[in-house]
Amino acid sequence: MTETVKIISPIDGSVYAERAVASPAEIDSAVIRAKTARASWSATTVAERQKILTHFVDALLLMNDDIVPELAWQMGRPVRFGGEKRGVDERSRYMIELAAEALAPSIKPEKEGFTRYITREAVGTVMVIAPWNYPFLTAVNSIVPGLMAGNSIILKHASQTLLAGERFAAAAESAGLPAGLFQNLVLGHADTEKLIASGQIDHINFTGSVEGGRRIEKAAAGTFATLGLELGGKDPAYVRADANLDNAVENLVDGSFFNSGQSCCGVERIYVHEAVYGNFVERFIENAKGWTLGNPLDPDTIVGPMARGNFADHVRQQTEEALRGGATRHLNTKHDLDKPGSPYLAPEVLTNVNHQMSVMREESFGPVVGIMKVADDAEAVTLMNDSPYGLTASIWTEDLDAAARIGGQVETGTVFANRCDYLDPALVWTGVKDTGKGGGLSEIGYANLTQPKSYHLKRV
């Protein structure tokens, strides 16, 4: 009997789609085809690749009207937000345009009798293991620059969002990419680890859990494949006394609850200076009341279900633990669909929280946020760093010098001031501590998808 993967929709628990898992023979064939296709692709110029990859992005974006409801059915994001088109467009086109500069040879200063330079060459076959929470945005971070750099790509998408992988494959075919250069495989965990351990994958980009990252590292041990890992997060925000509260509240509510809180760089904990704490909390709660739960296919719905019921139950457990420890909940929304075991979970705001509660230190990845009062910058920094994760941190202040100074003390991959939950493709996307290693986007993203080669040519 052929093994399959089923997409269980969070909307109603139905089987939305079912796909066969790749056989060992199909996996072996994919690896061979990837290597063969790369040989011809490496002979193309950067300018030629830019044209083809532009067509690839165009083809993907043309599918957006179909992709939007697919995302709602697969992982619960409301249709009102229009999918991930804007971010895919911005990141992809920036990286395509950047390629000529990022991949250009580095010419060394003249030395009599010698020509010296460094080139960037493709690492080989890149495996992209993409998550369900932003199934297109997370994948394009590696797929587009990976192809632009001359690599072949094997995509293994999350079982919750398998159709995203098919959309990428259709765009690759439409753009005329060489057969085998981009391949989408449906794989289980065991086959994924076996493929990585085979030594036939040269670079792995994985976005997912810390435990998943450990399994990837273990599987790759001894193969000398390079890794890019974006794992857990518990991103903090600090609202200083001089913050513009209108801006801070509006953006931090969005940063906390957009995508049902299932964002890698979503805001999960907020520290507020005591001088503005009461005012901030009052405004935050009032704004958050507008983030109502409902069916994601309804254009009026702002918060859809989480991807799975057990994910929502994890957040429920964290919230209940905090309440038992003395926390106060402020929304306490009643909804017929919000019950134990259901992926439907209404947003919640907690105060009277502390760092003995898991909701303030361990990843929630759902629509709950805790707000704590702090006395000064030093206390805020201490609390922001009291976490095993470090992806982003946001500082809300009218003093950008102070934001930079405070940001320099925070253990994080990105420092924001007066904004949050956004990836600028001109800046590297990276994390520290248990959030992972490596980095995507910007010229550094290209450096991580290529290997350097030195030329030391002597005239005689």
Side-chain angles (χ1 to χ4, degrees):
M1 181 180 294
T2 302
E3 182 184 357
T4 64
V5 175
K6 297 177 180 179
I7 300 175
I8 307 300
S9 176
I11 291 179
D12 58 7
S14 65
V15 176
Y16 179 62
E18 184 174 6
R19 297 292 185 266
V21 172
S23 68
E26 289 171 328
I27 296 170
D28 290 342
S29 174
V31 171
I32 294 170
R33 294 176 70 220
K35 187 173 183 179
T36 302
R38 195 170 68 248
S40 62
W41 185 242
S42 64
T44 62
T45 65
V46 169
E48 289 173 312
R49 293 177 199 165
Q50 286 176 317
K51 291 179 182 178
I52 295 172
L53 266 296
T54 295
H55 291 317
F56 169 78
V57 176
D58 290 342
L60 187 63
L61 296 179
L62 282 173
M63 304 175 197
N64 198 61
D65 286 348
D66 295 321
I67 286 173
V68 169
E70 281 180 359
L71 286 175
W73 279 105
Q74 290 178 94
M75 50 74 67
R77 184 179 307 131
V79 295
R80 69 177 291 148
F81 296 113
E84 300 170 20
K85 181 177 181 179
R86 185 172 63 179
V88 167
D89 187 42
E90 179 186 27
R91 295 183 198 178
S92 299
R93 298 198 195 284
Y94 181 86
M95 294 304 289
I96 290 170
E97 184 178 351
L98 179 64
E101 175 187 342
L103 299 172
S106 174
I107 309 299
K108 298 305 164 185
E110 184 176 346
K111 183 178 180 181
E112 186 175 355
F114 293 90
T115 298
R116 302 173 303 158
Y117 56 95
I118 300 171
T119 61
R120 307 294 316 185
E121 297 195 346
V123 293
T125 299
V126 173
M127 187 171 189
V128 178
I129 305 175
W132 52 264
N133 64 316
Y134 282 93
F136 291 92
L137 282 174
T138 52
V140 297
N141 291 352
S142 302
I143 291 173
V144 169
L147 291 170
M148 277 301 313
N151 300 291
S152 53
I153 301 287
I154 293 177
L155 172 64
K156 185 273 180 196
H157 222 299
S159 59
Q160 193 70 37
T161 45
L162 289 177
L163 300 190
E166 295 178 4
R167 292 293 182 181
F168 277 114
E173 183 177 0
S174 177
L177 282 168
L181 190 70
F182 175 91
Q183 296 174 81
N184 173 55
L185 293 181
V186 178
L187 300 173
H189 291 313
D191 284 335
T192 300
E193 292 171 18
K194 184 178 179 180
L195 177 55
I196 291 170
S198 71
Q200 299 181 91
I201 302 297
D202 300 293
H203 179 84
I204 304 104
N205 253 67
F206 170 76
T207 304
S209 69
V210 174
E211 181 55 35
R214 291 194 177 105
R215 293 180 67 171
I216 297 295
E217 279 201 322
K218 184 177 180 180
T223 67
F224 306 120
T226 53
L227 298 174
L229 304 174
E230 184 195 321
L231 310 175
K234 191 70 182 175
D235 290 7
Y238 170 38
V239 181
R240 297 183 83 227
D242 67 340
N244 180 318
L245 292 188
D246 289 338
N247 175 66
V249 166
E250 180 181 0
N251 283 279
L252 285 172
V253 171
D254 182 275
S256 300
F257 300 138
F258 185 80
N259 206 39
S260 298
Q262 300 169 129
S263 299
C264 300
C265 55
V267 176
E268 295 208 2
R269 50 200 175 108
I270 303 173
Y271 307 99
V272 184
H273 192 281
E274 59 188 9
V276 294
Y277 176 81
N279 193 1
F280 175 86
V281 169
E282 182 180 348
R283 294 191 191 191
F284 191 95
I285 293 167
E286 190 59 32
N287 188 300
K289 289 177 181 177
W291 286 69
T292 52
L293 178 68
N295 187 316
L297 297 173
D298 184 338
D300 292 329
T301 293
I302 299 175
V303 179
M306 296 183 67
R308 296 180 186 172
N310 61 314
F311 298 163
D313 280 345
H314 168 69
V315 180
R316 290 185 179 102
Q317 290 163 9
Q318 282 191 322
T319 301
E320 290 303 318
E321 179 210 45
L323 294 174
R324 290 193 299 271
T328 301
R329 69 190 311 166
H330 292 273
L331 300 183
N332 202 25
T333 305
K334 303 296 183 184
H335 196 287
D336 291 341
L337 295 172
D338 186 349
K339 53 189 175 183
S342 169
Y344 287 87
L345 179 64
E348 188 56 89
V349 179
L350 301 175
T351 59
N352 296 322
V353 288
N354 58 58
H355 274 225
Q356 281 68 56
M357 300 172 180
S358 65
V359 77
M360 294 302 288
R361 294 193 72 253
E362 294 298 329
E363 187 169 35
S364 301
F365 217 61
V368 63
V369 64
I371 306 177
M372 280 183 68
K373 182 191 301 182
V374 295
D376 52 29
D377 296 346
E379 184 180 9
V381 168
T382 297
L383 291 170
M384 292 168 89
N385 287 338
D386 185 28
S387 168
Y389 309 109
L391 184 58
T392 78
S394 59
I395 301 160
W396 303 78
T397 175
E398 294 192 355
D399 185 345
L400 294 186
D401 289 337
R405 172 180 53 77
I406 295 165
Q409 302 172 56
V410 179
E411 297 160 351
T412 189
T414 294
V415 176
F416 290 116
N418 302 320
R419 77 174 310 171
C420 58
D421 196 16
Y422 170 75
L423 277 70
D424 184 335
L427 300 173
V428 66
W429 189 244
T430 187
V432 300
K433 300 192 285 189
D434 282 0
T435 290
K437 64 190 297 185
L441 302 177
S442 79
E443 67 278 7
I444 295 174
Y446 273 114
N448 289 333
L449 289 164
T450 56
Q451 55 191 11
K453 185 173 184 178
S454 290
Y455 288 78
H456 194 167
L457 311 179
K458 181 181 179 180
R459 289 185 290 274
V460 295

